[in-house]
Amino acid sequence: MSFNKLTLAAVLMGATAMGAQAADLRIALQSDADVLDPDQSRTFVGRIVYTSMCDKLVDITPNLEFTPQLATEWTFSEDGKQLTLKLREGVVFHDGTPFDAEAVAANIDRSQNMEASRRKSELSSIVGTEVLGSHEIRFDLASADATLLAQLADRAGMMVSPTAAAEAGADFGLNPVCSGPYKFKERVAQDRIVLEKFADYYNADEFNFDTVTYLPIPDTTVRLANLQSGDIDLIERLAATDLEQAESDAGIQVESAVSLGYQGITFNVNNGEKGDNPWGNDKRLRQAFSYALDRAAINQVVFNGAFAEGNQSFPPNSPWYSTDFPVPARDVEKAKALLAEAGYPDGIDLEVQVPNTTVPLQLMQVVQSMVSEAGIRVSLTSKEFATLLADQSAGDYTASQIGWSGRVDPDGNIHQFMTTDGGINDSKFSNAEVDTLLDRARTSNDQAVRKESYNAARAILNDEQPIVYVYHQTWIWALDDAIKGFTPYPDGMIRLAGVTKDEG
C-alpha cells in the first residue's frame, strides 16, 4: 500500500467534511489498527488511537509513575488482597451512559468473561468486585498482585460503555463507545480512523482539535515526505535511518523516548498443527538461529545505532534485565554445530512472516543474510500487520517477526507471552516451572523476590528460546514545527492534552 500527496490530500478532504473551519490534527501511523475494542485488540497503533478515545482507570506520567485518570484514588489492603478505588464523578460515556462503580464492575466482568477477550490473564487475580457506593469500588484478589495497577493503566483499565457493549457484544469494535476526550466518528480500513471532540468530556478545555485523523502509512519515507509537505502534522515511529534528514529540516521537530518493549522472532512451538515442525520441536534450531545473529551489527546497519541490541524481554538498561545472560556475541560455528547436532548438517529452511512495513522488512533482510551463513535458509512472507497477528494467533505460521511496545510493570512484557495460559502466548510455549516463577513474580510486592523469579525464568527461557529477542527500540516522533505542547512518553503513546497547532 502506498500514498502519494494527491491521494492523501483527497483522503483528508473527506475526513474533514465537517467544514473548512474545523481544526483537524493528522497523525500518520506505521500500520492500521486491528479491532477497536480494548478487550479484543492487541496492536500498538490501536493503543495510540485509544489514548484519545478510551480513558483508563489509571494513567502514567512521563517518569512512569501512576497518576489518576478515571480513578482519582486507590488503596491496597495491608495483605495486598483488596484494591479499593474512588472514581471520578461527572463523567459520561460517549453515548450518555454514566460512568460509575457499576460501569467499572461491568467492564471487569466483560474483560474476564467475554469469549473473545484478550484481557483475561491480565485481570486473573480479580476474583470479585464489590460496589461500595456510586463512585467507589473494591476489587477482591485471589492473592496480592503487584502488576494490577499497571494493567489498569492499559487496555484492561480502559472503560467502555456497558450499554453499548451489551448491545454490540463481540461487534463492539465496529462502533466503539468509551469516555475519552474524542469519540469515534468513522473508520475506513487501511485508510483512516477519524475521531471527533467529545463536548461532554470532563476536561474538554485541555483538548484543542475538533477532529483527530489517524492515517496508516506503512512506508516510512512516504510518512516523512507527507510531514514535510504539510499533509501530516505528526508521525509516530520515525525510522532511525530518516532521523538525520528530519533533524536537518527547520520545519520539523523531533522528540524521542527510550521504549519499554522489544522486537524479535516468535517461533510456533505448539500452536496447532503448524507447531509440529522442526523449529517448534527442537530448541537447538532456535538456539542456532540466535547464535547466527549479530545484534550489534543489526543495530548499526538498520537503525544507525539509535536502538539497543537485546536478548531478553527487558532492555539491558532495565533493572529487571538478567545480567547472567548478556547479549550474546555472534557465533556462526556454534550455530552450525547446533544444526548438525539436531540432524541438519546441510542446513534447514525457515519461513518467517513479517509486517509489510519498511523497517521490519529491512530488519528481516539483514537477518536473512546473516543466518544464511550458518545454513539457515529464510524465506520471508510479507503480510499486513493485522493479518499477521490473526495468523499468529491462529497458529498459521512457523516464525513471526513481532514485537511488543512494553509495559510499565515487567510482568506485562513476559507473563502473558510465556505462561501456559497467557493471553498472547501465540507460541503456545508451556513450562510448569516458568509458570510457577512468573506467577510468583506477579504476586509478590518484594522487589528482590520478583527479580530472583524473573532471573530463574530467564535461565529456562534462554535455553528454550520460544522468542529470539533481537533489539529494543527508541520511540521517535517527528512533528510539524507548528505543533506545540507535545510530551514524549516511554510507552510510545500520543497524549493530546495541551497540544496545540499554531495557525499562520
Side-chain angles (χ1 to χ4, degrees):
M1 177 181 178
S2 64
F3 279 79
N4 60 40
K5 185 175 177 182
L6 288 175
T7 302
L8 185 57
V11 167
L12 294 173
M13 285 176 66
T16 56
M18 293 173 62
Q21 300 306 309
D24 183 38
L25 182 71
R26 298 154 296 178
I27 299 174
L29 305 176
Q30 182 170 290
S31 57
D32 199 14
D34 59 348
V35 58
L36 291 178
D37 180 344
D39 277 332
Q40 298 186 62
S41 67
R42 57 181 295 179
T43 57
F44 175 71
V45 290
R47 290 175 60 222
I48 293 176
V49 176
Y50 292 143
T51 303
S52 292
M53 186 172 68
C54 299
D55 273 4
K56 305 164 293 190
L57 290 171
V58 181
D59 201 5
I60 61 168
T61 69
N63 295 323
L64 302 180
E65 297 171 343
F66 295 116
T67 189
Q69 196 163 66
L70 289 175
T72 56
E73 298 178 39
W74 51 84
T75 54
F76 279 99
S77 60
E78 191 170 337
D79 63 2
K81 295 176 70 173
Q82 291 183 329
L83 172 63
T84 302
L85 299 95
K86 292 185 178 180
L87 307 174
R88 189 176 301 278
E89 299 187 17
V91 174
V92 295
F93 292 99
H94 298 151
D95 61 358
T97 300
F99 168 76
D100 55 19
E102 294 286 358
V104 174
N107 270 266
I108 298 299
D109 178 71
R110 183 177 193 264
S111 296
Q112 290 185 321
N113 297 307
M114 184 176 71
E115 184 178 353
S117 174
R118 294 184 178 276
R119 310 281 82 86
K120 295 174 184 177
S121 65
E122 297 167 16
L123 298 176
S124 60
S125 64
I126 300 178
V127 295
T129 57
E130 186 72 28
V131 173
L132 303 178
S134 64
H135 287 77
E136 186 172 6
I137 190 168
R138 187 185 73 232
F139 298 158
D140 297 323
L141 313 181
S143 57
D145 183 357
T147 77
L148 188 53
L149 277 182
Q151 305 293 7
L152 299 179
D154 209 306
R155 279 178 289 223
M158 293 176 187
M159 298 289 103
V160 305
S161 164
T163 306
E167 290 176 355
D171 292 330
F172 176 84
L174 298 175
N175 185 26
V177 181
C178 296
S179 67
Y182 293 91
K183 62 182 180 178
F184 180 78
K185 182 182 179 185
E186 67 169 332
R187 178 178 191 175
V188 179
Q190 303 302 321
D191 189 5
R192 65 184 181 270
I193 296 171
V194 183
L195 309 182
E196 60 183 348
K197 187 171 181 179
F198 180 46
D200 293 328
Y201 187 64
Y202 73 90
N203 194 24
D205 289 346
E206 280 291 304
F207 295 86
N208 300 295
F209 300 97
D210 295 329
T211 56
V212 182
T213 300
Y214 299 90
L215 297 135
I217 306 178
D219 190 298
T220 57
T221 302
V222 175
R223 281 207 304 281
L224 180 57
N226 279 296
L227 177 67
Q228 291 177 309
S229 70
D231 286 328
I232 290 294
D233 298 306
L234 188 161
I235 64 176
E236 57 98 10
R237 280 178 289 180
L238 176 74
T241 49
D242 292 332
L243 185 57
E244 184 177 350
Q245 180 183 350
E247 288 181 330
S248 65
D249 190 323
I252 292 177
Q253 53 183 314
V254 174
E255 298 282 357
S256 65
V258 176
S259 83
L260 305 169
Y262 63 80
Q263 289 284 333
I265 314 293
T266 294
F267 286 88
N268 186 348
V269 172
N270 193 31
N271 190 349
E273 292 182 5
K274 281 201 170 182
D276 186 10
N277 71 81
W279 291 92
N281 295 337
D282 195 331
K283 64 185 180 183
R284 292 172 294 187
L285 299 182
R286 304 189 294 271
Q287 292 169 357
F289 187 94
S290 180
Y291 276 116
L293 299 178
D294 187 333
R295 291 165 171 84
I298 289 171
N299 183 33
Q300 292 300 323
V301 171
V302 184
F303 306 114
N304 284 354
F307 293 173
E309 53 263 31
N311 67 324
Q312 301 178 29
S313 53
F314 317 124
N317 62 346
S318 166
W320 304 102
Y321 183 85
S322 176
T323 56
D324 293 338
F325 301 99
V327 176
R330 190 185 192 210
D331 191 337
V332 175
E333 293 307 312
K334 176 70 171 176
K336 289 179 178 178
L338 283 164
L339 291 181
E341 185 182 318
Y344 299 94
D346 298 323
I348 185 173
D349 297 333
L350 173 63
E351 180 187 15
V352 181
Q353 63 170 7
V354 57
N356 67 339
T357 52
T358 313
V359 173
L361 287 167
Q362 291 174 342
L363 166 71
M364 285 309 303
Q365 286 162 2
V366 173
V367 167
Q368 184 181 45
S369 176
M370 283 182 175
V371 300
S372 69
E373 295 178 26
I376 299 171
R377 298 177 292 270
V378 168
S379 60
L380 301 177
T381 302
S382 175
K383 298 181 180 180
E384 191 277 321
F385 191 59
T387 301
L388 179 144
L389 283 180
D391 290 347
Q392 188 175 296
S393 297
D396 188 13
Y397 77 106
T398 302
S400 186
Q401 196 288 298
I402 193 76
W404 184 242
S405 54
R407 296 297 182 267
V408 177
D409 189 278
D411 177 88
N413 276 21
I414 189 168
H415 190 282
Q416 57 195 332
F417 298 96
M418 294 288 99
T419 53
T420 299
D421 297 319
I424 318 181
N425 183 359
D426 292 336
S427 176
K428 298 303 180 190
F429 172 78
S430 180
N431 180 287
E433 189 174 355
V434 169
D435 290 352
T436 298
L437 289 165
L438 296 183
D439 284 345
R440 180 189 302 159
R442 67 165 24 183
T443 56
S444 174
N445 286 313
D446 186 322
Q447 299 296 80
V449 170
R450 300 190 77 193
K451 184 71 164 66
E452 181 183 346
S453 299
Y454 288 128
N455 288 352
R458 173 50 44 199
I460 299 169
L461 295 170
N462 201 64
D463 179 58
E464 292 286 348
Q465 298 274 3
I467 298 178
V468 172
Y469 301 96
V470 180
Y471 71 92
H472 305 272
Q473 72 186 90
T474 296
W475 302 128
I476 308 174
W477 298 268
L479 306 86
D480 187 290
D481 196 48
I483 300 296
K484 308 297 180 187
F486 176 82
T487 301
Y489 278 70
D491 63 357
M493 296 299 100
I494 298 171
R495 291 166 171 82
L496 297 180
V499 175
T500 62
K501 181 179 180 181
D502 291 343
E503 300 292 347

